[in-house]
Amino acid sequence: MEENKIYEKEHTINENYRQKPKVAVYVCHCGGNISDVVDVKKVAEELSKYHDVAISREYAFMCSSTGQDYIVEDIQKNGINRVVIAACSPALHELTFRGALQRAGLNPYLYEHVNIREQVSWVHKNDKEGATKKAISLVKAGVEKVLRQDPLNSIRVEAVKTVAVIGGGVSGMRAALSVAKNGLNAVIIEKSDKLGGKLNRSGNVYPTGEKAISVAENLSKEVLSSDKIKVYFNSEITFVSGYVGNFQINVKRKNGEYEKIKAGAIIIATGFDNYKPYEGEYGYGLNKFVLTLPEFIEALEKSGPGKFNYNGKDINSVSFIHCVGSRQIDGIDKPGKNGKINEYCSRVCCTSLINTANNLKTKYPDVEVFDIYTDIRTYGMDHESYYKEASKNDVIFFRRPLEERPSVEFDGAKIKIKTKDVLTMNEDMEIETDMVVLGVGMVPNDITDLVEYMKLPKSSDGFLQEVHPKLRPVEVANNGIFIAGTAQGPMDILESLQASNTAAVKAAALLASGDIPLDPFVAVVDEDKCTGCEKCPKECSYSGALTMIEKEVNGKKKKVAYVNAALCKGCGACAAVCEPRAINVAGWSLDQFDAMVEAIAKE
Amino acid sequence: MKVNTKFIKEVKKYGAFDISACFNCGNCTAVCPLSKEDSSFPRKMIRYAQVGAEDKIESSLEPWMCYYCGECSDTCPRQAYPGEFMMSLRRYLISRYDATGLSKFFYMNSWAQNILVIGIFLVSLIFFISYNGDFQELAAKIELAFPAYVTLAIFMYVFTMYKKTILDKSKKFLFSFDFSNIKETLIHGLTQKNFSGCSETDWTRWIAHLLVMSGYTLTLIISNLHLLEPLKKHYGLLDITTPLVFYAAFGIIAGGFVMMGRRFLKKIQSSKFSHPTDWLFVAMLFLIGISTLTTYILNMAMGPDAEAVAISYKINIAIEVAWIIIIVPFTKWIHIFFRPMAIYLYNLKKEKQLA
Ligand SMILES: Cc1cc2nc3c(=O)[nH]c(=O)nc-3n(C[C@H](O)[C@H](O)[C@H](O)COP(=O)(O)OP(=O)(O)OC[C@H]3O[C@@H](n4cnc5c(N)ncnc54)[C@H](O)[C@@H]3O)c2cc1C
Ligand code: SF4
Ligand code: SF4
């Protein structure tokens, strides 16, 4: 496979790190968070006596601009070439201080961050002396580590300016359109022969009342007429390889041809599946007048004017049951084929059921409608008005207790639903009805192969999982891969579209500049030491990250380990098996760890 | 419990057109100052109606505990007008407790009631005017027949109510002779005391109601005991009947005026919705007050033999005839009996621990 160029972005400006080390140590008070427990003066004083330490200071807030100015000044005026900062968690301010080093002209990685807040002052409040001692040894270990630190340069990979969108439902289409609007190319890979996904159905959609099919058609017209979007229909993905900026997707077309699609980023918009009730669940499969919601929507559309007729019977009353296959409870509901129950709420079924009940009432006002729920979750903007309208339409609602399930019984041609009703003072109610509609929820689509190829994380619900629901809602842990719409979990159309736009913008921002920065903490091989034993590639879990190559080293051809910096995650599994210590994770070498342990153990 | 959707449609014929909008949040019950733990309304009643629990409704005393403060309707987030629903339930129950079925017929066909009332009035009047005998004697007989007729009607109601709320459950005749129960029942009956239970007591309404009630009761006493003989006696300022008649007429007219005005302006919840029979009820009350007073004043001014007095008196009696025959037993007028009766039965239930 032809590879995109990977190159390093030079950070080093000042070459003085090659000279005799001059370490500066800064101990931060964190405004009392640290100094109330740790004797910061003593820490600074102890460290000033440590070898190779040229300057040792303590200050109230190192992250403040005055604090940062100290660092810059010491580097520029006092010849400091390595820095240790003892402060809060690196998650908070590591980048801040790297920036200060960079501004002063020093390689930003010649810096060690020691956490003496979360790891010392906050956890040893009652032992001030012990805390101070611990802080001193941790900072000393930091000095030992930074003394053995090499300057590092961040890695950049060249990116293909195309986004591959897998799945052509509303989410996939919206994502592709947004990508195109941002000036990039998009490719939609759809397994069926049309765009639109679940919206290729009859009936209308809340909250606009448009026909589902016309929502799908409007978007698909736009997609098909865009010269920046290419759609592959009837296409099955057989493999995905590569890394951020440079993915390759192997696709098998219906005509048996194979195709390779290159993309800098991937958006997964494979959607959801309807929950399928098992035989006998609320009578489903035992009686043809027990339907799922999607089946009912079809049936309602098909029936002509006058009387509601289904399967040769006039339907005078219809009962809707909520939460079928959703919000299941361990020990009460039967687990699915995977042995699991669906604990989540499918979110769209409440409003969708009620919208359908209203449509039924509009078309056949004389049909009696019953609705058995446990909570009405018409949560979205204006969704409540559907609920209100249903009440006004004389739909009679019953609220079952959370842990009770209604039963559907057949008595000749009659269908009887029995349920406890919270609204009627917990009495047992009996509803005679001609038809039962099951409000089936959403389940994850079967995309086992894609999950396998891309090592995608799934939540306990089985949907794809984002990194953080609020902070990084459309990214997965894998670099360059985004999720859009119901592949991530139950959403309605509006929410799917919003998520898709977000994913598209994230992907476009990633690829916009043409290359992608990556952290430099990846494995590096000392080719002199490498014996070519081939132990390390076997330990690596990221395919393509670590391979063996034939190479000329010091005039001799030999087999050495080779790291693809874009695929390496810097986990260090390889370093653990290398006897001659020829492979190390940059910034986290075994020599550094040895020295740190020694410094701590000395006390 | 079998769900029956027909029932709520039936109740809606008596008003409460908006009640389907109720989503059972219970706000109405929470704000209702008269609802109690063991006598909870309006939501519970609404729910029974929604699922068609006809038996539960018919054996409930709750509708009579409601005085239509209207606070529930002000609070309802769904604009279901629960207060109006309670009113409609009372109309419904009256028609159910009425064995003759006439109440129901009148509620459904208010025009029929109007025609009947006007018809009876006209027939009586024509008959009275053409009557050659001693009209004062005839009037005495008519007026003495009223109590018998009304007692019969009331007995029918009271018995059905007793049967539906107590007898059908206990399967035996139960009574309470507890003094405090009897006292409470009487006080409620005389003062409609629970009005003051409404947290923002609508004093205007209470006073208007009390004026009409007392004025009307006085009129009843005056006529049923046949205290007036305007064609025989000449009444003067110092007669004992003078303050009685003036008070009764004033009470009815002043109170009735306020009630009509409010129905017209529809500002207050309890006056927002009017069933056509409500109008007839108030209008007739008014006419009784006016005709009694007119007869009396004419008598004071011209003496018992004046032609004007005779005509006025005949009109007065004709109105009363129509009123007693049609309005009293077959409209919500009867609720002045149901309310104290409900209090008695409620205490009886408690005493005998009938769920
Ligand atoms: C009964 C019901 C009624 C609803 N009613 C409403 C409503 O009234 N209003 C509303 O806003 N929302 C409603 N929704 C929700 C709405 O249907 C979804 O939000 C919307 O369809 C999600 O679109 P999507 O593109 O994410 O998924 P989908 O529509 O499922 O599209 C996924 C696409 O990906 C393709 N695909 C799947 N796997 C692969 C693969 N491995 N490779 C290639 N392609 C693949 C599929 O063929 C499909 O085209 C309803 C949902 C249900 C279940
Ligand atoms: S949206 Fe409503 S019906 Fe669907 S799972 Fe949630 S609560 Fe149940
Ligand atoms: S009548 Fe209104 S306030 Fe009372 S339960 Fe119904 S919706 Fe709630």
Side-chain angles (χ1 to χ4, degrees), chain A residues 368 370 384 387-388 391-392 394 396-398 421 423-425 427-431, chain B residues 1-3 5 9 12 20-21 23-24 43-44 47-48 50-51 56 77-79:
Chain A
E368 307 275 7
F370 305 101
E384 189 73 2
Y387 182 22
K388 194 168 178 178
S391 295
K392 290 208 165 148
D394 288 322
I396 301 179
F397 289 89
F398 299 87
D421 181 26
L423 305 180
T424 316
M425 288 50 78
E427 294 218 26
D428 291 310
M429 311 301 283
E430 190 183 307
I431 306 159
Chain B
M1 181 191 295
K2 280 202 172 164
V3 174
T5 54
K9 289 179 191 144
K12 278 190 190 172
S20 293
F23 64 168
N24 286 280
R43 190 203 71 85
K44 191 170 153 187
R47 187 58 188 168
Y48 282 148
Q50 284 177 335
V51 298
K56 299 245 182 195
R78 278 283 185 94
Q79 289 84 44

Side-chain angles (χ1 to χ4, degrees), chain A residues 149-209:
Chain A
Q149 179 76 13
D150 293 324
L152 302 175
N153 293 312
S154 61
I155 299 161
R156 309 198 56 102
V157 294
E158 205 182 327
V160 181
K161 286 188 151 193
T162 298
V163 177
V165 179
I166 306 178
V170 277
S171 304
M173 291 194 283
R174 184 71 260 163
L177 286 167
S178 277
V179 164
K181 213 168 191 175
N182 278 288
L184 303 178
N185 292 318
V187 173
I188 295 180
I189 305 163
E190 167 58 50
K191 72 173 176 191
S192 74
D193 60 356
K194 55 172 166 303
L195 293 169
K198 298 291 183 303
L199 293 191
N200 287 308
R201 62 157 169 97
S202 42
N204 65 3
V205 291
Y206 71 80
T208 53

Side-chain angles (χ1 to χ4, degrees), chain B residues 233-246:
Chain B
K233 293 188 189 142
H234 187 177
Y235 295 104
L237 267 181
L238 295 177
D239 278 300
I240 178 71
T241 46
T242 309
L244 291 183
V245 170
F246 273 80

